[in-house]
Amino acid sequence: MTADELYTGIKERIEKARALGVTLGDVVGKVSPNMPNKIEEEDYHVNVLIDPYTYYKFPYLGKIGILLGAIDIRTLYFVLLKVIGYERNDVKSYLFGQDNFLSNPEEENPGTLINSVTLKCEMLTKVDVLSSSDPSPADVILEPQSPVIIPRDQIVERALSLNRGSLKLGYLESSETGIKVSLGLDDLNYHMLIVGTTGAGKTSFIKDIISSLYLIEDEESKVIVLDATGDYYHVFLPPDISSKSVIEGTDAFEKLYGKMNGIDISVIFPLTRSWLKKYTRLSTTESITRAYFNLYVKPLLDHLNSKGVKVYSSLDRNVINISSSFWNSRLTLHPFFFRFKDVRNVIYRLNPYFTEQASHFLKIFSSTKEAKDSFTLDDFIKALDNAQFEKLKVHKSTVDNIMRGLYLLKETELFDLKAHRDKLGSVLSEKGKILIFDIYNGELDDFTQKILTNYFLDRVFAYKERQMRQGTLKGRTVFVIDEAHRFFPSLQGSEEDTNYVRRVAGKISTMMRLGRRRRIGFIFATHNPSDLNDIIVQLASTKFVFRITSSVAESMGISRTEARILSWEKNGVAFIISPWLKQGKMKISVPVPPPIGHYDLSKAG
């Protein structure tokens, strides 16, 4: 090839690259012809030059983290770029050097700002758009003078593989036009962890996901929320459309999925003897539902009505119906407590604070005639006399653990109440998509909440296991556990705390590992992952990091600069870190507040 032929060939490629750039976006600059570009083992950086006219024309420019694209002159590949820095100087700095110099503060010379801007960019992925290839790592050196563009949404989505499925999470934060980011529904089987400080948008985001699954999943699928914070039982109520921020959040969600006109939920409500005595004279389903409505739902309706959001309600047995000009929904209440005869065979694992020796003895004792003749927990405790312990040579410390554990179960007041009760199996087999396990409103202490959570997870896993073995497994089950560190902590204190941590860690590990085949996924949320059991952090494949301290963000894999910026971000902005993403992580903006009930009056009235 002669020099003339090479010159002509390069010229043709420059023209083709520019023409291709025009079809893929707005041409704003070129790869710098003055500064060397490098591609090394750990350095995929390129310098981009933008003229001042273009720089002032596009407000999008000038921000860290925005996305640009380059059309490489030699290969004609589209290479996606992320801006990681800028170099901007006044012309005077070239004339008088870089040293500071004094000038009249009243003097203004706009002309000295009419010079080019240099952008420091990281190369992300490359796409051979002419052959419709899939994106691959950007492992090419860009030719100087290669045209640089603000890429259109479609090429960004393709270059980053943003459209993985029907679970739309939000919008790419580095986009001005609202590029949608989504995951596949099967990605839920590999679990999610959401971290962030109070008010950063964690709960709003979870409610976005609940709303999304309600709209797109089939009738056989179910979202189960363990509500220990009082943030979820009222999701069936309409959003407070008197608030400007709520309207904005609802509009953002509707652009992803369309209009949300209501959501039907089922609520499992654990009863205690004290609650029944305090709030309802009768123990029928109707009276329990009416008490639940008056205590926990009506104050929120009064709040909405005071804001001018007119909402109507009616009660029909165990159903609370809600309607307004734009919303129709219902809550079906399922009262629950333990019947000893139903849990006698699992009493040895009902209290996670039992030691292994205590559990082993209780399992043996549960099959004896004395145990089978026990109709209540009181009967069972009385049947455990010294002769039983001496017969199996149970150590005194184990006896103490057994008796203390059984009395703690008794003090929960969850056993053998004289009231209506729905069976968990029947509730789980219902067609409803959203099931809330309300362990907040019943005024339950921390120990009682853990007992219920432990039991409920066991029952759901056993239910799914039975379906799988029978070949009747249908639909997906997604667990939502907010404030997850309360139930699956990392800290170990006393011996009993150690027993608890070991047992629940084993349980959640089993459910997360085996749950994939059983179509069980977990969504955990917490303030700080260091408070959470390591097993959860390791097994949650997709992580969302909302506003949080820089040190925590860095521990999750966010760079120091990104972590510092994130610590000052607005609500609803997060990094998603996932093996399903081409680049491993990206920054997104999610709809906040969510399109369903979201209030700070959980215990109003």
Side-chain angles (χ1 to χ4, degrees):
M1 180 184 295
T2 67
D4 288 342
E5 289 173 334
L6 178 61
Y7 176 87
T8 301
I10 293 175
K11 183 179 179 181
E12 290 176 354
R13 285 181 175 272
I14 290 175
E15 293 172 353
K16 287 181 180 179
R18 188 165 184 86
L20 186 57
V22 170
T23 66
L24 297 177
D26 297 315
V27 177
V28 293
K30 59 185 177 182
V31 175
S32 176
N34 307 320
M35 304 175 69
N37 300 305
K38 294 182 179 180
I39 176 170
E40 298 175 351
E41 185 174 355
E42 295 183 1
D43 189 1
Y44 281 57
H45 292 164
V46 63
N47 299 296
V48 171
L49 207 62
I50 293 179
D51 67 74
Y53 304 98
T54 302
Y55 182 68
Y56 271 87
K57 178 182 177 181
F58 291 95
Y60 179 69
L61 299 171
K63 300 177 182 177
I64 291 286
I66 64 172
L67 297 178
L68 299 176
I71 313 300
D72 179 45
I73 289 172
R74 189 175 68 86
T75 63
L76 297 183
Y77 287 155
F78 168 83
V79 178
L80 189 66
L81 308 174
K82 183 174 76 170
V83 179
I84 59 175
Y86 292 83
E87 187 174 304
R88 180 79 170 115
N89 290 305
D90 192 296
V91 171
K92 286 180 291 189
S93 67
Y94 300 114
L95 298 176
F96 301 103
Q98 297 297 326
D99 295 334
N100 294 329
F101 56 89
L102 294 174
S103 63
N104 188 339
E106 294 183 0
E107 286 184 2
E108 294 179 354
N109 189 355
T112 60
L113 295 177
I114 302 177
N115 64 329
S116 297
V117 183
T118 301
L119 283 63
K120 307 290 185 181
C121 300
E122 177 187 4
M123 296 192 293
L124 301 180
T125 61
K126 71 176 189 291
V127 180
D128 185 353
V129 293
L130 297 178
S131 66
S132 301
S133 67
D134 290 331
S136 58
D139 54 0
V140 296
I141 181 72
L142 285 175
E143 286 291 277
Q145 303 183 43
S146 293
V148 173
I149 64 174
I150 295 178
R152 294 194 172 89
D153 293 357
Q154 295 86 344
I155 187 64
V156 175
E157 289 177 3
R158 181 176 168 188
L160 288 176
S161 299
L162 298 180
N163 188 17
R164 278 188 52 81
S166 55
L167 183 61
K168 302 178 183 69
L169 303 171
Y171 304 91
L172 192 65
E173 176 66 9
S174 56
S175 163
E176 288 284 284
T177 56
I179 298 174
K180 298 172 183 176
V181 179
S182 65
L183 290 178
L185 290 174
D186 286 340
D187 296 341
L188 290 168
N189 298 344
Y190 293 85
H191 320 302
M192 293 180 176
L193 172 61
I194 303 169
V195 302
T197 190
T198 301
K202 299 192 306 296
T203 301
S204 288
F205 179 51
I206 292 173
K207 289 183 178 181
D208 287 338
I209 294 177
I210 292 172
S211 304
S212 305
L213 295 175
Y214 184 81
L215 291 174
I216 63 179
E217 276 282 29
D218 57 69
E219 290 293 332
E220 300 292 341
S221 295
K222 197 180 295 289
V223 178
I224 300 178
V225 183
L226 296 176
D227 187 5
T229 63
D231 289 319
Y232 298 95
Y233 73 92
H234 48 60
V235 295
F236 77 111
L237 296 178
D240 178 8
I241 58 172
S242 69
S243 166
K244 180 181 177 181
S245 64
V246 170
I247 293 174
E248 291 173 350
T250 300
D251 288 345
F253 181 87
E254 289 179 359
K255 289 176 183 176
L256 294 173
Y257 288 100
K259 199 164 187 63
M260 189 92 180
N261 297 311
I263 180 170
D264 295 342
I265 69 172
S266 295
V267 172
I268 296 175
F269 183 55
L271 300 173
T272 64
R273 189 169 286 103
S274 296
W275 189 93
L276 286 172
K277 184 178 180 180
K278 188 175 180 181
Y279 296 118
T280 178
R281 294 181 180 179
L282 302 175
S283 299
T284 61
T285 301
E286 292 86 348
S287 63
I288 294 169
T289 303
R290 182 165 296 280
Y292 188 92
F293 171 81
N294 289 330
L295 286 166
Y296 315 123
V297 178
K298 189 175 182 300
L300 296 172
L301 296 181
D302 292 342
H303 168 73
L304 286 172
N305 287 323
S306 71
K307 292 291 193 72
V309 183
K310 191 64 178 177
V311 182
Y312 302 92
S313 62
S314 65
L315 276 65
D316 179 16
R317 196 171 172 272
N318 67 329
V319 176
I320 301 171
N321 295 296
I322 297 295
S323 63
S324 74
S325 59
F326 64 95
W327 195 263
N328 285 283
S329 63
R330 65 179 181 180
L331 179 155
T332 304
L333 192 72
H334 298 282
F336 173 78
F337 56 86
F338 292 123
R339 284 194 176 133
F340 178 75
K341 65 178 183 178
D342 296 332
V343 298
R344 180 181 59 230
N345 292 332
V346 295
I347 197 76
Y348 66 94
R349 65 171 187 259
L350 193 59
N351 184 342
Y353 287 94
F354 283 137
T355 63
E356 291 184 16
Q357 294 86 349
S359 294
H360 181 67
F361 171 80
L362 284 172
K363 186 176 182 180
I364 295 173
F365 181 72
S366 296
S367 61
T368 64
K369 181 180 183 303
E370 291 84 355
K372 291 179 179 179
D373 288 340
S374 301
F375 295 100
T376 67
L377 181 58
D378 279 337
D379 294 340
F380 185 83
I381 292 174
K382 291 175 182 176
L384 273 170
D385 55 23
N386 290 331
Q388 297 290 342
F389 293 122
E390 291 174 1
K391 181 179 178 181
L392 292 175
K393 298 182 179 179
V394 181
H395 193 275
K396 183 180 183 303
S397 62
T398 302
V399 173
D400 292 341
N401 179 263
I402 290 170
M403 300 310 296
R404 182 165 59 252
L406 290 174
Y407 276 111
L408 283 172
L409 288 177
K410 179 181 175 181
E411 289 174 6
T412 63
E413 297 187 339
L414 289 169
F415 285 83
D416 302 312
L417 306 182
K418 294 180 180 179
H420 175 80
R421 168 185 179 271
D422 289 335
K423 293 183 178 180
L424 283 184
S426 300
V427 178
L428 291 174
S429 63
E430 287 183 350
K431 294 286 186 181
K433 293 183 179 182
I434 310 296
L435 177 60
I436 312 289
F437 194 45
D438 184 358
I439 54 177
Y440 173 78
N441 281 318
E443 303 171 4
L444 307 174
D445 61 25
D446 185 66
F447 172 77
T448 305
Q449 289 184 352
K450 288 178 178 177
I451 294 296
L452 288 164
T453 299
N454 189 56
Y455 176 76
F456 191 60
L457 289 173
D458 265 347
R459 288 298 307 274
V460 175
F461 190 76
Y463 176 79
K464 297 289 286 189
E465 179 78 8
R466 192 161 53 250
Q467 281 187 328
M468 192 186 77
R469 294 184 182 279
Q470 294 172 351
T472 59
L473 184 62
K474 296 179 181 178
R476 183 187 327 278
T477 299
V478 179
F479 277 105
V480 174
I481 306 178
D482 207 341
E483 300 288 327
H485 57 275
R486 291 179 51 192
F487 302 102
F488 311 105
S490 63
L491 299 177
Q492 299 185 19
S494 65
E495 182 180 350
E496 288 189 344
D497 291 332
T498 302
N499 293 332
Y500 173 80
V501 170
R502 186 187 300 119
R503 181 161 297 188
V504 298
K507 180 191 300 294
I508 204 64
S509 174
T510 299
M511 292 187 72
M512 292 178 75
R513 293 180 191 278
L514 301 183
R516 294 170 184 173
R517 287 185 57 205
R518 292 148 184 81
R519 303 189 73 192
I520 296 176
F522 285 89
I523 299 175
F524 300 99
T526 187
H527 294 282
N528 190 334
S530 64
D531 296 335
L532 197 59
N533 196 280
D534 289 341
I535 291 293
I536 291 175
V537 180
Q538 293 169 15
L539 295 182
S541 295
T542 301
K543 299 175 176 66
F544 297 88
V545 185
F546 285 80
R547 185 177 66 247
I548 203 165
T549 59
S550 298
S551 59
V552 174
E554 288 182 54
S555 72
M556 299 290 286
I558 310 298
S559 72
R560 178 171 297 181
T561 300
E562 291 170 331
R564 186 169 62 251
I565 295 173
L566 181 65
S567 67
W568 290 95
E569 273 291 4
K570 62 184 178 181
N571 296 348
V573 174
F575 275 98
I576 171 176
I577 304 169
S578 176
W580 319 123
L581 301 174
K582 285 290 183 182
Q583 288 303 307
K585 74 173 185 293
M586 66 178 60
K587 202 173 186 180
I588 65 172
S589 177
V590 306
V592 293
I596 53 180
H598 185 65
Y599 314 101
D600 293 326
L601 305 176
S602 302
K603 288 222 168 184

